[in-house]
Amino acid sequence: MTLDKNISFNTIRWYGTGLLLVFLCACTKNFREYNTNPNNATEEMMQYDNLSTGVFFSQMEQNVFPVAQPPAFGDEMYQVVQNLAGDVFSGYMGASNNWFGGSNNTTYSLTPSWYGQAFNRAFLGVMPAWLAIKNKTAGQSSDQHIYALAQIIKVEAMHRTTDMYGPLPYTKFGNGSLTTTYDDQQTIYNSFFADLDSAIATLTTFVQQNPNGKPLAAYDLIYGGDYTKWIKFANSLKLRLAMRIVYADPVKAKQYAEAAVNNAYGVFTTNDDNTILKSADGVQIHNPLQIICFNFDDIRMGANMESFLTGYKDPRIGFLFNKTDAGAYHGIRNGINITNKSLYTTPFSTLNVLSETPIRWMSAAEMYFLRAEGSVRGWNMGSTAQSLYQTGIQTSFDQWGAGSSANYITDSLSKPATYIDPSNSGNNVTAGTNLGTVIIKWKESDVLETKLEKILTQKWIAVYPDGQEAWSEFRRMRYPKVFPVVVNNSGGLINSATQVRRLPFPQTEYQSNAAGVATGVSLLGGGDNGGTKLWWDKKP
């Protein structure tokens, strides 16, 4: 990986739509087959088959996880937005490279040319397309179902962005100003819930009036225009976000979580509901992890994954990772001193991923674990915590084709395994040194924190490979126990024990929106660095 690019989006903030959107459409490979450009069509043509709005949906969908790029650049973009942030911070994966002499994200010397890219992708790839749909459907009552779908995708994309940075120039996006002030994260989350509630109501009405209607089938790479599934996704997303704020606003957390679960369409319950971005309608989706692992040779199984999966004798391990040439599973601990890349490639497990492996946004298993957590908190989640916990495990097993979990869920002995680095024993993790001790079997007699740790540990396994979501949940709950870095190059800004809490704002913001980003910094409650907690990060 050689990416070292900074993209200013200040002109996007100013123009919103128009010529810059033409640029975005033209420069996004696989946006639609032959890069459909709405500005090259007549108004009559634009109304055909919802082309005037539909063409922007695949752009939004391909940028929630940044895959909408030419092959090399796209994989590198995914690498710095997702892989060298959430994927490594969560403990899912370990970096085998030593960029900048080992002083990079993995060792808490957060790299400016990397940490700004998630911000840029959100405001380059998602928000302008959303704004185009908003403007095109404004005042058109018959098109509000189209805008409702755009709202759901926007919330999915932007919650990931605010959960990286905190405050964002969000609610005022596209207001025509060259200086855009930031919203605090609480305001952003409140807008998420309002947008989801409105979108659910709008799509519900549309489905009731048009039970077989799929007006955006030609543009939707997720559900092929099936609004019933999008309603379930919106409810599921609302449940995820409700749980995120449980320590910041417990009253609203319970309110929105119960509303999501008890909605007529409810949340995900089977793997058929899972939100999967896949190739369709002439658009080819390539999984960037395959390139990053096998072509770049930059990523491997994480040490924490080895510890939990081998310690629990978890049959999912072979579906997630490949054995080494020596016939074992080995993961790399993050934040270590790598002087020779070859020592951290061959001896460690590659990811079991193909170029055609779809990109998963959300799964039914995650919903069961969220509901299990709500249940132990006393919320109405439709079942007992034990039943939801065990069903979540089986649903994850089913997703990977790992068979029955009957023996697994009754295991009261297995614990996370000690970690041995085959290349450097100084990176080992043994009992008493940040090693988890929680078992699998549910015990109703356990105290609340033990139950929460079990739920969060199994959810962490099930959410793989979405390290962004796993990192957010680790910050919210402190579970599972992720090994701290061995080398901390943050200069004291990030505590090794509490680990990275957020990413700094991009340098491009300081260059092109200095007054605006100053408002964002003032809302943080701390410095613009990786050690400052987000609004929802309030667990005692």
Side-chain angles (χ1 to χ4, degrees):
M1 191 271 286
T2 59
L3 181 65
D4 186 13
K5 301 176 177 71
N6 280 299
I7 305 172
S8 172
F9 83 104
N10 196 52
T11 51
I12 297 177
R13 178 191 296 116
W14 187 36
Y15 289 108
T17 53
L19 293 178
L20 192 56
L21 278 171
V22 179
F23 168 80
L24 287 171
C25 294
C27 292
T28 302
K29 186 177 183 181
N30 297 329
F31 174 54
R32 287 281 298 160
E33 188 174 12
Y34 306 121
N35 290 330
T36 302
N37 184 346
N39 293 276
N40 289 337
T42 66
E43 186 63 26
E44 181 180 2
M45 292 168 60
M46 292 294 286
Q47 299 308 316
Y48 178 75
D49 196 24
N50 292 301
L51 177 62
S52 64
T53 51
V55 292
F56 294 106
F57 276 100
S58 59
Q59 178 178 337
M60 292 183 71
E61 290 180 343
Q62 291 178 76
N63 280 282
V64 171
F65 290 73
V67 297
Q69 298 290 341
F73 181 49
D75 298 319
E76 290 181 343
M77 183 60 67
Y78 183 99
Q79 186 174 23
V80 294
V81 169
Q82 172 83 10
N83 195 235
L84 291 173
D87 290 350
V88 295
F89 296 154
S90 67
Y92 276 168
M93 303 174 205
S96 56
N97 211 331
N98 63 340
W99 302 273
F100 310 113
S103 189
N104 55 62
N105 282 14
T106 67
T107 56
Y108 293 176
S109 177
L110 301 182
T111 308
S113 60
W114 295 1
Y115 65 63
Q117 297 302 338
F119 188 101
N120 290 335
R121 285 317 307 160
F123 288 100
L124 280 168
V126 176
M127 293 299 285
W130 164 81
L131 187 61
I133 295 170
K134 177 185 177 182
N135 291 339
K136 194 69 180 178
T137 58
Q140 304 295 321
S141 60
S142 62
D143 288 342
Q144 289 313 294
H145 63 96
I146 296 175
Y147 180 57
L149 180 55
Q151 289 281 76
I152 295 170
I153 299 172
K154 180 191 71 168
V155 172
E156 162 66 2
M158 299 309 293
H159 100 76
R160 296 172 63 85
T161 309
T162 187
D163 287 349
M164 281 189 173
Y165 298 98
L168 293 175
Y170 182 65
T171 63
K172 301 176 183 65
F173 179 83
N175 66 357
S177 173
L178 284 173
T179 297
T180 305
T181 57
Y182 282 48
D183 301 298
D184 62 84
Q185 195 174 37
Q186 183 174 12
T187 297
I188 294 171
Y189 260 73
N190 286 340
S191 75
F192 288 163
F193 292 121
D195 289 345
L196 289 175
D197 282 344
S198 177
I200 290 168
T202 299
L203 293 187
T204 297
T205 298
F206 183 91
V207 169
Q208 291 171 346
Q209 296 175 350
N210 306 273
N212 299 314
K214 295 182 179 180
L216 292 171
Y219 307 98
D220 177 11
L221 304 177
I222 303 286
Y223 291 130
D226 188 335
Y227 282 176
T228 300
K229 289 186 177 293
W230 277 110
I231 295 169
K232 295 186 76 171
F233 172 73
N235 280 319
S236 301
L237 181 55
K238 184 159 71 170
L239 176 58
R240 174 194 280 181
L241 299 182
M243 198 63 73
R244 187 83 88 239
I245 67 171
V246 69
Y247 293 111
D249 194 336
V251 174
K252 282 187 177 179
K254 180 175 184 291
Q255 171 193 339
Y256 288 120
E258 291 183 340
V261 171
N262 295 294
N263 176 271
Y265 291 90
V267 299
F268 292 173
T269 55
T270 73
N271 286 312
D272 288 339
D273 296 325
N274 294 355
T275 321
I276 306 293
L277 179 69
K278 54 190 178 298
S279 299
D281 299 318
V283 178
Q284 292 297 314
I285 302 297
H286 302 281
N287 195 308
L289 285 173
Q290 193 272 337
I291 298 292
I292 296 167
C293 180
F294 294 98
N295 290 36
F296 296 173
D297 230 8
D298 282 348
I299 205 71
R300 292 292 185 269
M301 178 188 202
N304 276 94
M305 269 294 189
E306 176 191 339
S307 174
F308 280 100
L309 295 179
T310 61
Y312 286 158
K313 306 175 185 65
D314 196 313
R316 289 170 288 186
I317 191 169
F319 296 93
L320 278 57
F321 303 101
N322 301 311
K323 288 183 177 180
T324 65
D325 292 343
Y329 292 102
H330 284 307
I332 299 176
R333 183 174 178 181
N334 275 304
I336 61 175
N337 182 27
I338 298 178
T339 57
N340 186 339
K341 182 176 179 178
S342 65
L343 295 177
Y344 285 90
T345 50
T346 303
F348 293 86
S349 294
T350 55
L351 314 184
N352 190 353
V353 61
L354 303 174
S355 177
E356 59 267 28
T357 300
I359 309 293
R360 172 167 39 84
W361 289 5
M362 186 181 285
S363 70
E366 179 188 345
M367 293 305 107
Y368 281 111
F369 293 121
L370 287 168
R371 291 170 63 193
E373 181 181 346
S375 183
V376 298
R377 295 184 184 279
W379 303 352
N380 178 11
M381 294 287 102
S383 189
T384 66
Q386 178 176 349
S387 176
L388 293 165
Y389 171 78
Q390 292 174 342
T391 304
I393 293 174
Q394 183 59 60
T395 303
S396 177
F397 272 51
D398 291 342
Q399 178 187 312
W400 293 105
S404 173
S405 64
N407 292 331
Y408 185 87
I409 63 175
T410 59
D411 188 343
S412 61
L413 299 176
S414 298
K415 296 180 179 180
T418 57
Y419 169 70
I420 306 300
D421 184 335
S423 295
N424 184 347
S425 61
N427 300 325
N428 294 352
V429 180
T430 56
T433 57
N434 306 294
L435 191 66
T437 60
V438 68
I439 62 170
I440 301 167
K441 184 177 180 179
W442 186 265
K443 294 183 178 180
E444 199 56 45
S445 59
D446 282 338
V447 299
L448 175 62
E449 279 303 311
T450 300
K451 292 177 180 178
L452 289 173
E453 185 173 2
K454 287 182 180 181
I455 293 168
L456 267 293
T457 298
Q458 288 300 322
K459 182 165 73 169
W460 178 82
I461 296 172
V463 169
Y464 177 88
D466 184 3
Q468 164 64 35
E469 181 60 24
W471 175 42
S472 293
E473 286 294 82
F474 168 74
R475 287 176 287 162
R476 177 179 73 92
M477 291 297 297
R478 320 293 190 255
Y479 301 130
K481 293 183 179 178
V482 176
F483 303 152
V485 296
V486 178
V487 180
N488 186 331
N489 290 324
S490 71
L493 294 176
I494 303 172
N495 185 298
S496 295
T498 55
Q499 306 189 30
V500 182
R501 311 313 294 183
R502 61 178 292 274
L503 297 180
F505 296 126
Q507 289 185 328
T508 50
E509 277 294 272
Y510 285 96
Q511 295 164 359
S512 62
N513 187 33
V517 75
T519 66
V521 174
S522 70
L523 296 170
L524 280 173
D528 184 16
N529 58 63
T532 298
K533 293 182 179 181
L534 300 182
W535 164 71
W536 48 252
D537 187 359
K538 285 185 169 62
K539 185 176 182 182

